[in-house]
Amino acid sequence: METTMFKGSITALITPMNQDGSLDLPSMGRFIDWQIQQGTSALVPVGTTGESPTLSHDEHAQVVEFTIKTANGRVPVLAGAGSNSTAEAIKMALHAQSAGAAAVLVVTPYYNKPTQEGVYRHFMAVADAISIPVIVYNIPGRSVIDVSVETMARLAKHPNIIGVKDATANLLRPLQTQQTVGKPFNQLSGEDGTAVAFLASGGDGCISVTSNIAPAQCAEIQAAWSDGRVMEAMEKHNRLFPVHDALFCESNPVPVKFAASVLGLMGETCRLPLAPLSDASRARVKDAMSAAGLLD
């Protein structure tokens, strides 16, 4: 099967909402267009950054379909299709495939704490159910369970499982995965703060929160590295690093939605149980944005 290899700066899209919490699709359409114009290489709707835990199933499907329609083939869409219910993850993946997604991003099952064998069977069941590629999303900080290197190598034998979004912040992991898998495997950082270091460890790109508000800067970092301009990539990354830090001063995506509202991209509304950003954190986010030149 021909697989889609994702590279460069990939945005984990926030989901614009009106003050009453309803979806703000007009803002989302403008936001997607801006992302593509600024150099984002792929889009990831309805991940955690897109508030997937509080979207209804109908809304989840609506956001996926809207993103694919708006992107209109200009960049690939890697649709979120994760659940701690395997049957539900399969249903989301099948919908993403029918809607025209290039691939699906499937998170490690959270809360019910499966064994490594359970994790393996979960991802294999999703991959068996569809014909588009699967990217494994390994984020033990939220799901508690870590997909071990050995389990990842077992999963990589499936022709549909082509890569991983690695949010472990462990820079040994991409090297270990590369050695153990033993074949080309699409490795994407899920941590903005280690994006360049992850590339140095053999990564292909970054699924980014920061690129919601700094898409051109994030794309430039990835392009500089790809072109062999290593020092430039590091300098640009270091300038943006305080923003990476500030956007996680409270639970994602509350800070990045506030930052997007400061830029006039959309409102800052998040759904409960996510509370509005505190005053201290608002000041911290704005200071970081200003220092990085995002408010010039």
Side-chain angles (χ1 to χ4, degrees):
M1 184 190 73
E2 183 180 349
T3 58
T4 301
M5 288 291 290
F6 295 92
K7 297 181 179 180
S9 179
I10 301 162
T11 301
L13 293 170
I14 46 182
T15 302
M17 294 175 181
N18 299 304
Q19 288 188 346
D20 65 359
S22 60
L23 299 180
D24 179 4
L25 294 181
S27 289
M28 187 161 196
R30 292 188 295 270
F31 184 62
I32 289 169
D33 286 338
W34 179 67
Q35 284 285 323
I36 296 169
Q37 291 161 7
Q38 293 287 298
T40 295
S41 61
L43 301 170
V44 181
V46 291
T48 310
T49 305
E51 294 177 78
S52 59
T54 54
L55 296 184
S56 70
H57 289 171
D58 286 345
E59 288 172 328
H60 182 111
Q62 187 179 10
V63 171
V64 169
E65 292 168 7
F66 184 84
T67 303
I68 292 168
K69 182 179 179 180
T70 305
N72 194 28
R74 290 176 290 172
V75 298
V77 174
L78 173 55
S83 174
N84 62 342
S85 161
T86 303
E88 187 172 78
I90 289 171
K91 184 177 179 181
M92 290 177 173
L94 285 167
H95 171 264
Q97 176 175 280
S98 67
V104 290
L105 181 68
V106 180
V107 72
T108 311
Y110 42 86
Y111 190 72
N112 40 15
K113 298 181 71 173
T115 62
Q116 289 298 304
E117 182 63 23
V119 168
Y120 172 77
R121 293 187 182 202
H122 173 83
F123 284 108
M124 291 292 284
V126 176
D128 283 342
I130 59 175
S131 59
I132 59 175
V134 174
I135 299 285
V136 174
Y137 183 12
N138 189 22
I139 181 166
R142 282 186 181 265
S143 64
V144 180
I145 300 301
D146 181 16
V147 183
S148 71
V149 174
E150 293 73 23
T151 299
M152 196 71 71
R154 289 179 70 196
L155 291 170
K157 294 177 182 178
H158 194 295
N160 279 10
I161 299 177
I162 67 158
V164 59
K165 176 185 177 183
D166 185 328
T168 64
N170 177 359
L171 293 173
L172 290 175
R173 188 57 67 86
L175 293 165
Q176 292 167 335
T177 298
Q178 188 177 60
Q179 292 288 320
T180 309
V181 168
K183 69 174 187 178
F185 196 63
N186 200 179
Q187 297 202 72
L188 304 166
S189 172
E191 294 281 353
D192 278 296
T194 62
V196 171
F198 193 88
L199 291 171
S201 294
D204 301 303
C206 181
I207 298 180
S208 170
V209 172
T210 300
S211 61
N212 278 285
I213 60 164
Q217 292 85 345
C218 290
E220 288 166 4
I221 290 167
Q222 294 287 328
W225 182 273
S226 180
D227 292 344
R229 294 176 278 121
V230 174
M231 290 306 298
E232 181 181 340
M234 292 174 66
E235 289 166 4
K236 289 179 180 293
H237 178 75
N238 288 342
R239 186 179 187 197
L240 209 53
F241 187 80
V243 178
H244 301 328
D245 237 12
L247 293 184
F248 286 86
C249 63
E250 294 186 23
S251 297
N252 179 49
V254 177
V256 71
K257 267 198 162 178
F258 167 71
S261 75
V262 170
L263 296 176
L265 298 170
M266 63 185 70
E268 64 176 286
T269 300
C270 292
R271 290 181 178 175
L272 288 171
L274 297 179
L277 201 63
S278 68
D279 289 342
S281 293
R282 287 169 187 264
R284 180 177 173 185
V285 170
K286 290 183 75 171
D287 286 348
M289 293 172 69
S290 181
L294 300 182
L295 300 181
D296 293 344

